[in-house]
Amino acid sequence: MGIVSPGFQGRPRTAEPALPPGQYLTQDFPVLSAGPTPRVPLDTWEFVLTTETGAEYRWSWDELMGLPQETPHVDIHCVTHWSKLGTDWQGVSLDTLLDGVDTAARYALAHSYGGYTTNLPLDDLRGGRAWVAHTYDGGPLPAEHGGPARLLVPHLYFWKSAKWVRGIRLLTDDQPGFWETAGYHDYGDPWREQRYQGD
């Protein structure tokens, strides 16, 4: 006679979400900033894409809103160890903003209102992996979370998703940004736990 009754599956298990190493799950949306929160009126807001040759492409708020919009549903991971799963955003893909831009650049440096900067390989802004996001969870992105618009690059640690973004400069050589100069990793892949230089 068998020890286990037919159809017995044992104690039900709670499916734990897959998180990058060293991360914990949060339901909150913690607020972390490198400085004071800038307040940017929409009638003066603009986004400027500057190529390595100095050519500029500019969008006002109304022009950004007139571009094709996407609604990424993504997980986000902060270098301070929290992860928030299944977040909902709306914004303009960097693929749209880079369409028709003549560049031989391999890197990008994002600039924010307030002076913050962060560097990324240009390839990480392409292929449907990065957005200028202005809406979070169905409403305007709050200023404390980077509104009116922030860079959203969810496959990297969240410091790469620059709050209050005002532009991106394309570069032929990598140039570290604010946290990278202070010792944070140049790339910041949460699945490889690239928190600091040398990781």
Side-chain angles (χ1 to χ4, degrees):
M1 177 181 288
I3 301 173
V4 178
S5 300
F8 179 72
Q9 300 295 318
R11 186 183 307 233
R13 294 183 181 179
T14 301
E16 293 293 331
L19 294 176
Q23 297 293 109
Y24 70 88
L25 187 64
T26 184
Q27 302 301 321
D28 300 325
F29 195 166
V31 175
L32 300 167
S33 302
T37 298
R39 306 290 172 173
V40 186
L42 297 184
D43 59 352
T44 61
W45 183 94
E46 69 172 355
F47 183 85
V48 182
L49 180 65
T50 307
T51 72
E52 70 276 20
T53 65
E56 292 186 343
Y57 300 79
R58 294 176 176 269
W59 293 268
S60 68
W61 185 260
D62 288 343
E63 289 167 338
L64 187 80
M65 295 300 105
L67 294 173
Q69 303 289 313
E70 297 185 2
T71 54
H73 178 78
V74 296
D75 303 336
I76 54 178
H77 309 289
C78 184
V79 71
T80 61
H81 299 279
W82 61 262
S83 290
K84 186 171 178 62
L85 305 184
T87 62
D88 289 296
W89 305 79
Q90 181 176 322
V92 176
S93 172
L94 263 293
D95 292 318
T96 298
L97 298 174
L98 288 164
D99 186 39
V101 173
D102 184 22
T103 181
R106 296 176 54 217
Y107 301 97
L109 188 68
H111 293 261
S112 297
Y113 290 94
Y116 179 79
T117 57
T118 191
N119 60 318
L120 308 101
L122 184 54
D123 282 349
D124 284 85
L125 298 180
R126 298 183 188 267
R129 299 197 294 166
W131 299 265
V132 174
H134 53 76
T135 299
Y136 172 73
D137 202 20
L141 182 62
E144 64 268 22
H145 290 306
R150 75 178 297 156
L151 192 61
L152 178 64
V153 191
H155 66 282
L156 299 178
Y157 279 126
F158 214 40
W159 91 80
K160 296 291 187 177
S161 294
K163 293 182 177 183
W164 316 296
V165 69
R166 68 180 304 171
I168 291 176
R169 187 154 53 99
L170 304 182
L171 304 167
T172 53
D173 296 305
D174 198 11
Q175 180 179 325
F178 178 86
W179 285 118
E180 296 81 14
T181 301
Y184 280 54
H185 201 279
D186 278 331
Y187 187 61
D189 182 347
W191 294 97
R192 290 189 278 170
E193 205 166 4
Q194 294 175 332
R195 300 179 196 273
Y196 307 107
Q197 298 292 346
D199 286 347

